Structure formats: structure tokens, C-alpha cells
Amino acid sequence: GADRADIDRAAAMGVNAWLDEQFATPRTQSHVEWLRAQGVEVFDNRFSSHQIDYSLWRKFLSSPDQLRQRMVYALSQIFVVSTDAMDGYWPQFSLASYVDILETHAFGNFRNLLEAVTLSPAMGDYLSMRGSRKADAQGRQPDENYAREVMQLFTIGLVELNLDGSVRTNVQGNPIPTYDQAVIEGFAHVY
């Protein structure tokens, strides 16, 4: 990312001015566009994650929108996907498209980010939503993995918190859960 000159420039202009500049810096070439420009979209690469690491690192290290790239990295540590869980064609393009979603929503609102992540084929593969079927009379139940992760990791967490971040407890001194199995099942039916 930044070199000594970039750091000195940011220090001289001040934090607020640097942030304003970063928010105004347009996105550079998308990961999907870059993969296509590298000629990765060929039949022999249809099951490969060929070149996606290069695309990620090129932007993390040299893209002028460094704040956005840091946000993408931070979001990718919360909204995790991996080509290891993708069993379809073109996993590198699925992941590239996913990271492009994180870039698009890096400075946006959480609700739009969560919707885009939810509808992403990469997330569908990674958290086993793809192929999940609705409940039926034969006892089939929808996959609960994504519903659980949305609540546990992406939003409210496992236990209720006080305004200061400490864990809320009931009269017995036990943490108060934020949801139960019935809520997970309800969310799974929605997804």
C-alpha cells in the first residue's frame, strides 16, 4: 500500500482531508475485468482459482483507493468465502465477483452490503445455501448454515450486550442469548 511519501502526504494534509480524498477516489479495474484481461477465462481454467490471488494482492498493494482496499480486506475477514468450498465452474470468477461486491459496498450501508453478500453465488456455495430446499411433508428442512452465520457472525452475535459492550445476564447470572433454534429455523425458511 502506502510508501513513505504517501504517509508524509497524508500527515501533511490531515486525517479528514485524506479521508475525504479516499472516499472520492474512484474504484479501479474490477477483479472480474482484470481476470478477463489476463486471459484466465479459458476452458482449461474452469475448475481453477488461477490468478485470483494475484488480482487481490495487486489491488491491496498498489491501488490508489487504499482505504477502500483496507475496508475490503476487513469485510472479507467477517464475510468469509473461499474457493475451497466452491464446487462449480469458474471459482476464480465467483470469488472475483464476490470481492467486487465488497468493493462496491465498502463505503455504503450495512443493509445493502448484507443483501448483496446474501445473494452472492460465492456465499451460496461457501455457506451451503446453494441447493437448499424448502421444507416439505417428507421432513426435508432448509439448510440452516447461512441463517445461523447471519445472526452469529454478521449481525447481532450470540449474546445480548449492554451499551458499554459488556455481556447482559439474566437473574441467574447467565448470558442472555440473542436468538434460539426457532429463530434460526425461521430465518432458514426465509433464505
Side-chain angles (χ1 to χ4, degrees):
D3 59 21
R4 176 48 64 204
D6 294 328
I7 294 167
D8 291 342
R9 182 175 169 278
M13 67 191 306
V15 172
N16 289 336
W18 182 82
L19 287 172
D20 288 342
E21 178 182 83
Q22 284 292 299
F23 288 135
T25 302
R27 289 177 59 195
T28 57
Q29 183 182 39
S30 77
H31 293 284
V32 169
E33 291 167 341
W34 187 85
L35 288 174
R36 287 187 173 135
Q38 301 308 305
V40 174
E41 196 173 20
V42 296
F43 187 76
D44 288 346
N45 290 332
R46 69 192 181 283
F47 297 115
S48 167
S49 47
H50 183 65
Q51 296 284 334
I52 187 60
D53 287 342
Y54 295 113
S55 185
L56 295 170
W57 283 107
R58 80 180 163 90
K59 290 191 96 169
F60 288 154
L61 294 175
S62 64
S63 191
D65 59 341
Q66 282 296 297
L67 181 61
R68 179 178 289 107
Q69 297 311 312
R70 297 304 186 265
M71 285 297 299
V72 166
Y73 180 75
L75 289 169
S76 76
Q77 301 304 299
I78 299 166
F79 296 96
V80 176
V81 299
S82 170
T83 57
D84 292 344
M86 296 176 193
D87 60 358
Y89 293 109
W90 308 106
Q92 72 278 47
F93 283 94
S94 184
L95 185 59
S97 177
Y98 183 77
V99 178
D100 288 341
I101 287 170
L102 298 181
E103 278 193 19
T104 298
H105 296 281
F107 299 147
N109 70 57
F110 185 76
R111 193 250 179 254
N112 291 342
L113 170 66
L114 187 58
E115 179 179 3
V117 165
T118 299
L119 297 176
S120 164
M123 184 59 77
D125 276 342
Y126 190 68
L127 288 179
S128 61
M129 272 192 305
R130 186 173 65 109
S132 181
R133 313 259 322 257
K134 68 180 184 175
D136 66 14
Q138 286 74 41
R140 179 176 58 206
Q141 294 296 316
D143 189 283
E144 297 174 357
N145 196 19
Y146 188 70
R148 186 173 286 108
E149 297 303 317
V150 163
M151 291 181 287
Q152 179 180 339
L153 296 176
F154 303 165
T155 59
I156 61 175
L158 293 171
V159 296
E160 292 183 14
L161 302 176
N162 294 306
L163 289 177
D164 66 0
S166 61
V167 174
R168 288 188 64 202
T169 57
N170 61 20
V171 294
Q172 292 83 24
N174 298 320
I176 301 171
T178 54
Y179 59 88
D180 60 15
Q181 183 59 29
V183 172
I184 293 169
E185 290 171 9
F187 268 80
H189 285 272
V190 169
Y191 291 125

